[in-house]
Amino acid sequence: MQFSNTTGNDLKWNFCQSENYLCVLLYIFLSLLTAVTICGNLLVIISIIYFKQLHTPTNYLILSLAVADLLIGALMFPFNMAFSVTTCLYQNTTTCKIRNALDVTISSSSVLNLCCISIDRYYAVCHPLMYNTKLTDHVSMMMGLGSWAVSVLYGICFFVMKYYYNLCRIECFFLSGVISILAFYVPTIILLCVYSKILLVALKQVSSLRNATSQSGPVASKKERKATKTMAIVMGLYLICWLPIFISYPFYTLSNIVAALVEPFNWFALSNSMFNPFIYAFFYQWFRSAFRMVISGKIFQGNFTNTNLH
């Protein structure tokens, strides 16, 4: 995410000011990144929608996250490829404002969907007897839609403020700081708190299973603990990729060095959207089976919606 700044044009993150092979290699690499991100997340979306075995509350939230990752690949990657040459960091055009508003919206959606998934995992591991009544399909869908509604609101507010107000350096600093806090730091703190609680409960359950005589209270299944571990990895990877941009982002108007790093940090953050499908395929047999059937085109040869994906 970037804010416009009319100064500092000499710090544009690009080496494509003239035709050279580095520019060609950059665009080939970014094009491949775009294709992998789009195809991978399409596999997740098609698999969850098509196969009834994957119609679970957790997977509906994963579906919402995959939609956000797909939009990053389909919209933000092309936008960033176009504007990394003449970076929006130093321009105030309407197109740049739309690009930045989309950036705010989609990236906010990703972290808010992760928050929803953490709540799902909390009930699955910490309160397994309540899980089926608290986290129904309907509740899961409403949580995903709510994440998108809040994210769209963030994006609209950002666009309106940038479109109607000519912000100075100090105002940009405070606005970017507020956006960073609301869109990243607050959800991240929630994620860390929830997963810390889940980890403590999971460790206690493992200890209880090793000593059956001391076992007390309901224990989450091995399947639920594995799902929690997988989503914790997804969350950890998200934090690693997005932390640099959100740390540097409020300070780019105050430091030329930080401003020069914003664009590559933004690409590093967006590349996170490529990894999640590979994580699901690595940890889940049913996702691997679903991916194979989709890639091979088998789902177009008959009705396989009720297929057992083990």
Side-chain angles (χ1 to χ4, degrees):
M1 294 187 287
Q2 295 91 16
F3 285 85
S4 300
N5 183 8
T6 55
T7 63
N9 283 301
D10 55 317
L11 291 171
K12 293 177 182 177
W13 178 73
N14 73 86
F15 40 74
C16 295
Q17 296 176 1
S18 61
E19 292 186 9
N20 56 59
Y21 71 96
L22 289 177
C23 183
V24 174
L25 291 176
L26 172 66
Y27 274 88
I28 291 175
F29 171 75
L30 296 180
S31 297
L32 290 174
L33 187 66
T34 301
V36 172
T37 301
I38 293 174
C39 292
N41 286 288
L42 270 178
L43 280 175
V44 175
I45 293 170
I46 293 172
S47 297
I48 294 176
I49 292 175
Y50 183 82
F51 295 102
K52 289 185 177 180
Q53 185 179 339
L54 299 180
H55 292 183
T56 66
T58 304
N59 285 343
Y60 287 135
L61 293 173
I62 291 176
L63 173 64
S64 181
L65 179 62
V67 170
D69 290 337
L70 175 67
L71 291 177
I72 286 177
L75 296 179
M76 295 315 305
F77 280 12
F79 262 122
N80 277 20
M81 288 172 66
F83 289 108
S84 286
V85 178
T86 55
T87 175
C88 278
L89 189 62
Y90 310 107
Q91 297 189 32
N92 203 33
T93 65
T94 300
T95 305
C96 283
K97 291 172 183 174
I98 293 174
R99 174 231 182 174
N100 293 339
L102 284 173
D103 208 343
V104 170
T105 300
I106 300 174
S107 59
S108 297
S109 174
S110 292
V111 70
L112 290 177
N113 275 298
L114 285 174
C115 284
C116 292
I117 291 172
S118 72
I119 295 172
D120 173 271
R121 294 296 84 210
Y122 173 79
Y123 277 99
V125 174
C126 302
H127 303 285
L129 295 182
M130 299 172 58
Y131 179 74
N132 288 333
T133 56
K134 292 288 186 180
L135 272 299
T136 62
D137 290 351
H138 176 75
V139 170
S140 180
M141 291 178 184
M142 290 301 100
M143 290 170 67
L145 291 174
S147 297
W148 277 102
V150 173
S151 302
V152 170
L153 181 62
Y154 279 165
I156 292 173
C157 291
F158 175 83
F159 179 80
V160 169
M161 293 186 70
K162 290 300 296 176
Y163 191 84
Y164 289 103
Y165 299 99
N166 185 19
L167 302 179
C168 68
R169 290 164 73 90
I170 299 300
E171 289 171 333
C172 273
F173 171 73
F174 284 111
L175 177 58
S176 57
V178 169
I179 292 292
S180 293
I181 291 171
L182 293 177
F184 182 77
Y185 289 111
V186 171
T188 297
I189 291 172
I190 294 173
L191 282 170
L192 292 176
C193 291
V194 173
Y195 274 105
S196 296
K197 173 65 174 178
I198 292 172
L199 177 61
L200 292 175
V201 172
L203 291 175
K204 183 178 179 180
Q205 290 179 356
V206 170
S207 177
S208 298
L209 288 173
R210 290 175 178 173
N211 186 3
T213 59
S214 66
Q215 181 175 340
S216 60
V219 176
S221 67
K222 181 179 179 181
K223 174 184 175 182
E224 296 292 1
R225 290 196 298 273
K226 180 179 180 180
T228 301
K229 178 181 177 181
T230 303
M231 298 319 302
I233 292 172
V234 170
M235 182 203 74
L237 190 59
Y238 178 90
L239 295 180
I240 291 172
C241 290
W242 283 90
L243 194 59
I245 182 65
F246 276 105
I247 289 177
S248 61
Y249 170 53
F251 300 98
Y252 85 89
T253 60
L254 307 179
S255 170
N256 288 340
I257 296 176
V258 174
L261 295 173
V262 166
E263 198 74 34
F265 280 168
N266 199 45
W267 270 109
F268 181 61
L270 294 177
S271 67
N272 171 252
S273 299
M274 175 186 68
F275 297 118
N276 291 343
F278 295 99
I279 296 175
Y280 305 144
F282 182 81
F283 281 96
Y284 293 127
Q285 171 64 37
W286 50 88
F287 268 115
R288 289 197 296 273
S289 299
F291 290 172
R292 282 195 294 267
M293 293 182 70
V294 174
I295 293 173
S296 66
K298 188 175 181 179
I299 62 173
F300 302 108
Q301 301 172 10
N303 184 0
F304 295 94
T305 56
N306 294 308
T307 300
N308 188 333
L309 296 173
H310 291 296

